[in-house]
Amino acid sequence: MIRWLAVLAVVVAVAAQRPEVCDSPAQWSANMVIFDPVEGHEFAMEAKYYYDKTGLRKARIEQIDPGRNTTHRYVHVIELFAEHKAYYIDLGTRDCVERSLDRPGSLDGFHPHDVPAEASFRGLFYIGSDAVSEGHVEASAWDYYFSDRGYFWHGTFTTHGCIPLRSDGFNHTTFGARFEEFFDVVPGISDPNVFVPPSNCHPEKH
């Protein structure tokens, strides 16, 4: 009986450490870093990112570094999933190209920065050091396979507030791999105009 109670206590303790799946704030902005390691078209990019789950909108102002010997380009990307349209504005030339979000090879639909209900919990860890007072943030790691989109996802979130820290995607048939990191996350959208495309946008030429 004592041995059974001891085993039960261990099981309860382990189960208590597993956080519940969670949703990130419905609207937020952040600085982000995107890295594509696929050989032949690898690139790294820093961006200011805006996320609006309520309006099914995403936007980012990208600083693209195609290579060490190429000058940087700044591009403002607006994705309006309710309208199935995306806009790419070159902030140097002010040219704006309109594209369909349903184009072949793209991931259709709005992908929220939430932990999917059926995601697999991979563990808790600290960013920083728990040996230093207020020197760490506790985070949870999750995995999920989106069978309808054919790609594997791995994400990390803070255990308090469900703030997204990292989102990685893998698909061997379309985009390969993509790594995203978020920092300086601020709830809410300070400038709603970041989702408004300019009037001079034109359809992409094929």
Side-chain angles (χ1 to χ4, degrees):
M1 180 65 176
I2 294 177
R3 178 179 297 178
W4 183 85
L5 290 175
V7 172
L8 179 61
V10 170
V11 172
V12 171
V14 172
Q17 295 176 7
R18 185 189 190 282
E20 297 293 329
V21 297
C22 62
D23 293 345
S24 72
Q27 296 177 326
W28 49 271
S29 64
N31 291 315
M32 73 181 303
V33 175
I34 302 174
F35 177 62
D36 184 342
V38 177
E39 185 176 359
H41 62 88
E42 62 271 8
F43 74 92
M45 177 176 64
E46 297 179 358
K48 183 69 176 181
Y49 181 65
Y50 302 86
Y51 171 79
D52 179 11
K53 179 180 177 180
T54 304
L56 301 179
R57 305 179 296 181
K58 297 180 180 181
R60 60 187 181 272
I61 299 176
E62 306 175 339
Q63 179 181 346
I64 300 177
D65 182 6
R68 295 180 180 178
N69 299 320
T70 306
T71 57
H72 292 185
R73 293 189 302 116
Y74 290 86
V75 179
H76 182 183
V77 179
I78 303 172
E79 296 174 318
L80 306 179
F81 290 86
E83 301 176 16
H84 304 276
K85 293 181 180 180
Y87 300 87
Y88 294 77
I89 305 106
D90 188 315
L91 297 181
T93 65
R94 311 307 299 181
D95 183 52
C96 175
V97 176
E98 176 188 316
R99 298 177 181 174
S100 171
L101 284 173
D102 300 326
R103 64 187 184 278
S106 65
L107 293 178
D108 297 336
F110 180 85
H111 175 69
H113 290 287
D114 302 329
V115 180
E118 302 301 324
S120 299
F121 173 62
R122 294 307 181 194
L124 295 173
F125 62 95
Y126 292 116
I127 297 175
S129 172
D130 63 346
V132 179
S133 177
E134 300 184 357
H136 65 276
V137 173
E138 187 180 60
S140 60
W142 305 83
D143 290 341
Y144 187 71
Y145 179 71
F146 289 87
S147 58
D148 57 332
R149 302 183 181 187
Y151 83 101
F152 176 81
W153 168 85
H154 174 82
T156 59
F157 297 77
T158 61
T159 54
H160 300 288
C162 197
I163 303 300
L165 301 172
R166 186 179 179 105
S167 179
D168 301 334
F170 306 89
N171 185 311
H172 296 294
T173 60
T174 55
F175 63 84
R178 180 185 175 99
F179 306 108
E180 300 176 342
E181 292 185 353
F182 307 98
F183 52 97
D184 298 333
V185 177
V186 178
I189 302 296
S190 59
D191 182 13
N193 289 326
V194 75
F195 298 110
V196 180
S199 58
N200 66 321
C201 296
H202 57 84
E204 182 178 27
K205 296 180 180 179
H206 298 284

